[in-house]
Amino acid sequence: MTFSAAFAYLEGERVNNTVWALEQFRGLFLRKDFLPGVIITDRDLALMKAVNIVFPECTNLLCRFHIYKNVKAKCKSLIGQKNAWDYMMDSWGTLADCPSEQQFPECLQKFQMACSPWSINDPSSCGCSMRSMHGLPYACELSSYVVSSIPLESVHMFWRKLHFSDQGLCAAEVSINDEIETIRKRFKDVDVGGKVTLKSKLREIAYLEENSMFPPPSKVKTKGAPKKGLKRSERSTKRDPSYSEYVDAFHSSQSNNTSVKPSTSCYEPPKPTRIIPMLDLFAPFIQGFIQDVVDVKADDNCGYRSIPALLSMGEESWPMVRNELIKELRKWLHDFIKLFGGTERFEHVRMSLHVDGFSQNSG
């Protein structure tokens, strides 16, 4: 049974705010032996720290729903095929729902086999930006250094020689003559486009006042609500989408815009179309435009019955259709008389629309 025990409106998500809310919640318990034994969070660090302060005897676990969302957001970009993605997530669900410790190694092996074709378990080919762009260990690599220190060889030479001293050199020993000569040679060898690019980069260094980068005119306030008045439509309380929702939206747009024909391995059979009765009675060229066929009662009013039937009013509402047509004739009386070529034809059409006991009493 799931129920809400309490609600709290906090000024912020800092530790002291959360500690106060949990202390008020702890005060609701009349006996200490009734205190919760397990508290589940969404890995909010402030909340987890507050739980350890107010409920030190509790076991702090992570919400499985948020773990699933995190796995989905981190791994979906690496797996393109839908059937492979479904198989991997099915293996993950089996691992998360493992009923005992004895079965856990088997479920773990199944999950590792499902992930083996991709770089999820291969740190050397995951293409992490921290390694490829900055030359620093990334999360996958750091996981292997939990029990030991990070080797110096895993850090790029640039960061190993970072220093803030002058290394005991004097001004006469620091020169850029070799670099300038190399730039001159490079400038002669490149084409006109390369010369323009190289010159623009040198001007950014030599003429700082012409640089396109400028500091902000005033200090940007990154905290607190905006002070200026907002319109009612701008004061939205809608939450920002989570990272997993951004990933889902991205893959949804990619699948809608892609022009690549899916392979047979990821082909999905088309959904069965609804069978429309008596469709073969119509000409072939018009069958593709027909969305539904309604078989009404065969009498002199079948044409009038079909209109309310398609409007979900029931075919027995056909007298209302005739009555509405009579109202239309009365509203545009002179126009219809001209259209029918005289009063005699107009009266004949109007009288043919009357229904005994219905149209005569409607105005």
Side-chain angles (χ1 to χ4, degrees):
M1 178 180 178
T2 302
F3 63 93
S4 299
F7 295 91
Y9 293 93
L10 303 179
E11 181 182 0
E13 296 184 356
R14 296 182 293 272
V15 177
N16 56 343
N17 301 116
T18 314
V19 167
W20 172 85
L22 292 180
E23 287 177 347
Q24 303 304 312
F25 177 67
R26 186 184 178 106
L28 299 177
F29 293 90
L30 301 179
R31 295 173 52 181
K32 291 185 177 181
D33 54 345
F34 284 173
L35 292 176
V38 177
I39 294 182
I40 300 176
T41 65
D42 60 351
R43 204 181 176 273
D44 186 309
L45 299 181
L47 179 58
M48 294 174 66
K49 188 174 182 180
V51 168
N52 292 332
I53 296 174
V54 183
F55 295 96
E57 67 280 357
C58 290
T59 301
N60 194 348
L61 299 179
L62 296 179
C63 174
R64 287 182 54 185
F65 173 79
H66 290 86
I67 295 176
Y68 172 83
K69 287 291 185 181
N70 193 35
V71 172
K72 183 177 180 181
K74 298 294 183 182
C75 301
K76 194 170 186 179
S77 301
L78 302 175
I79 304 176
Q81 299 179 357
K82 184 180 183 303
N83 54 352
W85 167 252
D86 294 337
Y87 175 70
M88 197 277 288
M89 291 307 298
D90 180 66
S91 302
W92 164 254
T94 304
L95 179 64
D97 296 333
C98 183
S100 63
E101 295 183 10
Q102 292 75 18
Q103 300 180 18
F104 185 81
E106 180 182 354
C107 297
L108 178 60
Q109 183 180 7
K110 179 182 177 182
F111 177 67
Q112 291 175 339
M113 292 180 60
C115 300
S116 58
W118 297 274
S119 59
I120 300 176
N121 293 328
D122 187 5
S124 61
S125 60
C126 77
C128 180
S129 59
M130 289 298 294
R131 169 58 70 191
S132 59
M133 298 178 61
H134 306 290
L136 295 174
Y138 43 89
C140 302
E141 189 176 354
L142 290 175
S143 61
S144 60
Y145 303 139
V146 175
V147 296
S148 61
S149 59
I150 301 175
L152 191 60
E153 292 76 15
S154 63
V155 181
H156 192 270
M157 182 66 70
F158 174 80
W159 304 108
R160 283 187 278 170
K161 288 189 174 182
L162 184 64
H163 57 82
F164 299 96
S165 64
D166 56 5
Q167 297 182 340
L169 299 176
C170 61
E173 296 176 352
V174 180
S175 174
I176 59 171
N177 295 331
D178 296 338
E179 289 77 6
I180 293 296
E181 186 62 28
T182 304
I183 292 175
R184 286 198 184 97
K185 294 179 181 179
R186 179 68 60 85
F187 188 80
K188 293 179 180 179
D189 296 338
V190 296
D191 55 8
V192 177
K195 293 180 186 295
V196 174
T197 303
L198 185 57
K199 183 178 179 180
S200 63
K201 292 184 178 295
L202 291 175
R203 290 186 64 88
E204 290 181 359
I205 300 175
Y207 304 100
L208 298 179
E209 64 277 3
E210 298 181 6
N211 199 313
S212 60
M213 299 178 65
F214 293 95
S218 60
K219 184 178 179 180
V220 179
K221 296 181 180 180
T222 58
K223 294 184 179 181
K227 302 302 181 183
K228 63 179 182 179
L230 299 177
K231 298 180 181 179
R232 183 177 183 86
S233 59
E234 297 176 350
R235 296 198 298 267
S236 174
T237 58
K238 183 179 179 181
R239 67 173 180 84
D240 294 333
S242 62
Y243 178 69
S244 60
E245 291 172 323
Y246 278 116
V247 173
D248 291 339
F250 172 77
H251 285 279
S252 177
S253 62
Q254 291 293 320
S255 60
N256 293 336
N257 298 332
T258 181
S259 59
V260 180
K261 185 177 180 181
S263 60
T264 56
S265 59
C266 60
Y267 173 75
E268 294 184 2
K271 296 181 179 180
T273 56
R274 187 173 63 89
I275 299 177
I276 300 177
M278 299 180 293
L279 185 63
D280 55 342
L281 300 179
F282 296 87
F285 72 91
I286 202 176
Q287 292 182 5
F289 301 94
I290 299 176
Q291 297 182 355
D292 196 5
V293 174
V294 179
D295 186 14
V296 298
K297 184 178 179 181
D299 58 7
D300 294 337
N301 301 302
C302 57
Y304 301 106
R305 289 177 178 272
S306 61
I307 297 175
L310 290 173
L311 294 176
S312 302
M313 299 170 56
E315 61 177 275
E316 296 301 328
S317 300
W318 63 269
M320 296 178 59
V321 178
R322 286 197 169 197
N323 190 44
E324 291 297 326
L325 292 175
I326 294 175
K327 291 181 181 179
E328 190 75 8
L329 291 175
R330 291 174 180 173
K331 183 177 180 180
W332 309 98
L333 174 65
H334 299 289
D335 295 329
F336 277 110
I337 289 177
K338 294 180 180 179
L339 180 64
F340 291 135
T343 307
E344 183 179 357
R345 177 60 180 170
F346 173 80
E347 288 295 331
H348 175 75
V349 173
R350 188 177 68 83
M351 295 302 298
S352 66
L353 293 174
H354 278 289
V355 180
D356 294 339
F358 188 86
S359 297
Q360 290 85 347
N361 300 326
S362 61

